[in-house]
Amino acid sequence: MTNKTDPSGDVRLTGIAKTYGAFTAVHPLDLTVPQGSFFALLGASGCGKTTTLRMIAGLEEPTRGTVHLGDQDVTALPPYKRPVNTVFQSYALFPHLNIFENVAFGLRRRGLKSVKKQVEEMLDLVQLGEQARKKPHQLSGGQQQRVAVARALINHPKVLLLDEPLGALDLKLRRQMQLELKRIQTEVGITFVHVTHDQEEAMTMADTVAVMNAGRVEQLGSPADLYENPRTTFVANFLGTSNFIEAEVDSKNGDEVVLKAGGGKLVLPASRCSAPAGTGGRVLVGVRPEKISLTHADDAGEIPVGRNRITGKIADSSFIGVSTQYVVDSPVCSDFEVYAQNIDRDPRLVPGAEVVLHWNPAHTFGLDAAQDADAGVEEAA
Ligand SMILES: Nc1ncnc2c1ncn2[C@@H]1O[C@H](COP(=O)(O)OP(=O)(O)OP(=O)(O)O)[C@@H](O)[C@H]1O
Ligand SMILES: [Mg+2]
């Protein structure tokens, strides 16, 4: 439908902010969402996602800053004059109209007489051609949700805003609809800005994710980049699980930072350390649970040299089929989480067993130790 190099569907926020009395819901924010991309605003309840979206739609007046769509400054335009449509969590279809008429609504309101071809194309896009004559209450939640998307897309917006559109669906349907929405976005090629508090949802669907925390974008990047290279403990904990060891910089050795933790040494690539890495500096050494191997202490001699290693004792284990999730108590970190893929299970790895945890130093990241290692843990739960 639209050309990916056409910049008219770019969303550009410049210094946009929203305060309610003394409370700041959104701190001054600069953000560009490129035309044709699937962008997610991710964060816990109350962090300012809906407020940001409503300022793009024109439903909320920014306290300061501007909104551009392509080259056009739309800050002063009312919602209906912006080439933007919104799908909300409660997508309230018109109950007395059938699906065809629900989708046709926007066209009829603009006085168009021959709507059949466009409506049918839209219904095909969301795979509801067969359901055209049904009333909304005769459809499943996921089907109703797709009607809401079709009803918005038929207006040919340059940007589609989605505010937790899958919130009312059960988990299985949610997963299905995530893939479905992604397919629709790829097919129509317009800019989608999707708001969610579900990290898996944001990662599955979006090209770019902005992680919001207390009215600010804490980090922005591709899902893989955010997961592998979090720059704050909040992002590291909000997107998946992270283990942190508090360590002290011992020396810098070429591209590597050598750290002291407990009695041992850990190695971290200098390029993955966002903390000041001068000797004596404090660093939170981070490693994801799936990057770690667990070896029974009796076999410690078999661990290849050059791996980061710490010792500990298994406190808990839960077998979940594809993997076993261990909680290990270590002198350098209590509650260390390790996910071991279910290939060959060592029957000795049970609670109480003494173990060595080891991983490739390249899989380590380093964060400034001045922040709370548990930031974002509660919010992600
Ligand atoms: N009209 C208002 N007056 C005062 N405070 C408001 C108003 N609207 C929103 N807020 C506050 O602004 C903050 C951000 O609200 P917002 O709706 O953007 O959060 P959200 O990230 O969408 O959260 P959720 O995931 O729960 O929908 C909240 O603390 C909220 O209480
Ligand atoms: Mg909201």
Side-chain angles (χ1 to χ4, degrees), residues 288-308:
R288 297 287 192 179
E290 72 280 9
K291 314 277 193 199
I292 302 168
S293 304
L294 210 55
T295 297
H296 194 275
D298 291 350
D299 298 340
E302 295 168 15
I303 300 168
V305 292
R307 288 176 66 83
N308 278 337

Side-chain angles (χ1 to χ4, degrees), residues 20 23 25 44-51 164:
Y20 296 106
F23 177 74
S45 182
C47 73
K49 306 179 297 292
T50 295
T51 306
E164 306 257 7

Side-chain angles (χ1 to χ4, degrees), residues 4 50 69 97 110 130 160 213 215 241 276 281 283 308 323 363 379:
K4 288 226 177 203
T50 295
L69 295 174
L97 297 181
R110 281 191 275 138
E130 312 277 284
L160 188 68
N213 180 21
T241 300
V283 175
N308 278 337
S323 65
H363 295 157
E379 286 92 335

